[in-house]
Amino acid sequence: MVLQNTYRGFLYRQLFTTPPLITSSTVSLVGQTGIVTGSNTGLGYYASSQLLDLGLSRLVLAVRDTAKGEKARSSLLATWKESTPASSSKNQPQVEVWPVDLTDYTSIVDFANRVRDTPNLLVNFIILNAGVARFGFEALPNGNELTVQTNWIATALMAITLRPILQAQYTRAKRTATNGNNPQPPVLSIVGSEVAQWAVFKERKIAASDPHTSVLAVLNDQKKFNPGDRYYTSKLLLTLFFREFVDRLPLAKNDVVVNLVNPGFCYGSELHRSLTGPLGAVFGAMKRAIGRPTEVGARTLVHGAVVAGRETHGCYLSDEKVAPWMDFVITSKGEQAAGEMWKELGEELSGVISIDRVMEQTGV
């Protein structure tokens, strides 16, 4: 991995590395079911399109705005028909739009319950892709800042609640399999970012100076909001969560492959849509200069979900390869921070679930 975790390495990979497209000549998803969050636009949309090209039989578009989801569904199916031979058109995939609002804990739990309770559903993979990047402070009704809520807390809640459901579905499928046709272990692939390497994360230092203040409270303080660092810090928090999450899995009774995927810096997505005016124009030009097309970045999501396999469990992937972790997260201070933020996450979600109790669920 060329100069991983450096600005020079980042630029080199952006300009000279192109993740390969996965094609139906090497991967077939016929008979499989997948879920992609944030799939009405950007990386999630293009990943969904590529998954359908691989023969995916059932796709759930998990989106906040169902009207936009239905529009994406129509567009995906139209694109699929255009690229599919007439002889295969009778095997049209089943594409569904399910609502999930990452700013609402109840909506997330309801979504997980729907995955659990839908009859005869066997989910082969889930891509947790939904995310935001805001350069202005936006507080939600629950008091959390939007970027922190979406990219860290809500994504963590999705992972924690869905993992035992995937395990339970897989365990049932193995029990009923005949003639040795055992299903492949399910995959829970989370979209991260290498920008976590450059997070300042000053909020932890501020909280450490006051025993009565949590890191989340500092993150939710508009006076301490750093627009240039907030997205980076949200992705660092997600990375710290991921490592602690994997460490706490019931390894003897967990078959779910969990990995963290870096898609690279992409243009054509709506991730930075809140950045407007002259600064937005400059940033847009920079994205065009060094960014990769969104459909190319989406290839890494597809790889992480349907190609990477068991050997990538607990790993960070970049450009479709296992990559070194960000410097901070593998230090003793990083490991300490991961434990601290797990505790804060548990406290924040205590009115919704007990994360430690859910983590103990084995799906047996």
mmCIF file of all heavy atoms in Angstrom, residues 26 75 167 209 226 304 326 331 334:
data_model
loop_
_atom_site.group_PDB
_atom_site.id
_atom_site.type_symbol
_atom_site.label_atom_id
_atom_site.label_comp_id
_atom_site.label_asym_id
_atom_site.label_seq_id
_atom_site.Cartn_x
_atom_site.Cartn_y
_atom_site.Cartn_z
ATOM 1 N N THR A 26 -16.725 -13.123 -13.034
ATOM 2 C CA THR A 26 -16.014 -13.645 -11.863
ATOM 3 C C THR A 26 -16.905 -13.784 -10.634
ATOM 4 O O THR A 26 -16.595 -14.568 -9.737
ATOM 5 C CB THR A 26 -14.827 -12.747 -11.501
ATOM 6 O OG1 THR A 26 -15.302 -11.402 -11.280
ATOM 7 C CG2 THR A 26 -13.803 -12.714 -12.624
ATOM 8 N N SER A 75 -34.798 4.202 -11.691
ATOM 9 C CA SER A 75 -33.597 4.433 -12.493
ATOM 10 C C SER A 75 -32.696 3.194 -12.517
ATOM 11 O O SER A 75 -32.168 2.823 -13.578
ATOM 12 C CB SER A 75 -32.828 5.625 -11.916
ATOM 13 O OG SER A 75 -31.621 5.832 -12.610
ATOM 14 N N GLN A 167 -26.604 -12.960 11.861
ATOM 15 C CA GLN A 167 -26.130 -14.222 12.427
ATOM 16 C C GLN A 167 -27.275 -15.214 12.574
ATOM 17 O O GLN A 167 -27.136 -16.402 12.240
ATOM 18 C CB GLN A 167 -25.469 -13.978 13.774
ATOM 19 C CG GLN A 167 -24.938 -15.234 14.450
ATOM 20 C CD GLN A 167 -23.827 -15.907 13.662
ATOM 21 O OE1 GLN A 167 -22.878 -15.236 13.257
ATOM 22 N NE2 GLN A 167 -23.939 -17.204 13.426
ATOM 23 N N SER A 209 -10.257 17.603 30.288
ATOM 24 C CA SER A 209 -9.934 18.645 31.265
ATOM 25 C C SER A 209 -11.078 18.921 32.229
ATOM 26 O O SER A 209 -10.914 19.688 33.183
ATOM 27 C CB SER A 209 -9.565 19.945 30.530
ATOM 28 O OG SER A 209 -10.691 20.467 29.842
ATOM 29 N N ASN A 226 -15.685 22.793 14.906
ATOM 30 C CA ASN A 226 -14.628 23.057 13.924
ATOM 31 C C ASN A 226 -15.076 22.494 12.583
ATOM 32 O O ASN A 226 -14.998 21.286 12.356
ATOM 33 C CB ASN A 226 -13.316 22.403 14.367
ATOM 34 C CG ASN A 226 -12.170 22.667 13.397
ATOM 35 O OD1 ASN A 226 -12.376 23.146 12.283
ATOM 36 N ND2 ASN A 226 -10.951 22.363 13.816
ATOM 37 N N GLY A 304 -15.891 -4.972 -0.971
ATOM 38 C CA GLY A 304 -15.950 -5.261 0.459
ATOM 39 C C GLY A 304 -17.113 -6.143 0.847
ATOM 40 O O GLY A 304 -17.019 -6.936 1.788
ATOM 41 N N MET A 326 -5.086 3.639 10.524
ATOM 42 C CA MET A 326 -4.622 4.994 10.786
ATOM 43 C C MET A 326 -3.708 4.981 12.020
ATOM 44 O O MET A 326 -3.907 4.199 12.932
ATOM 45 C CB MET A 326 -5.795 5.944 11.019
ATOM 46 C CG MET A 326 -6.790 6.008 9.876
ATOM 47 S SD MET A 326 -7.974 4.640 9.957
ATOM 48 C CE MET A 326 -8.877 4.905 8.423
ATOM 49 N N THR A 331 -2.431 3.034 18.487
ATOM 50 C CA THR A 331 -1.609 3.388 19.639
ATOM 51 C C THR A 331 -2.370 3.063 20.921
ATOM 52 O O THR A 331 -3.580 2.815 20.911
ATOM 53 C CB THR A 331 -1.265 4.886 19.629
ATOM 54 O OG1 THR A 331 -2.478 5.644 19.789
ATOM 55 C CG2 THR A 331 -0.573 5.283 18.341
ATOM 56 N N GLY A 334 -5.048 5.501 21.293
ATOM 57 C CA GLY A 334 -6.175 5.211 20.413
ATOM 58 C C GLY A 334 -7.046 4.101 20.968
ATOM 59 O O GLY A 334 -8.286 4.178 20.912
#
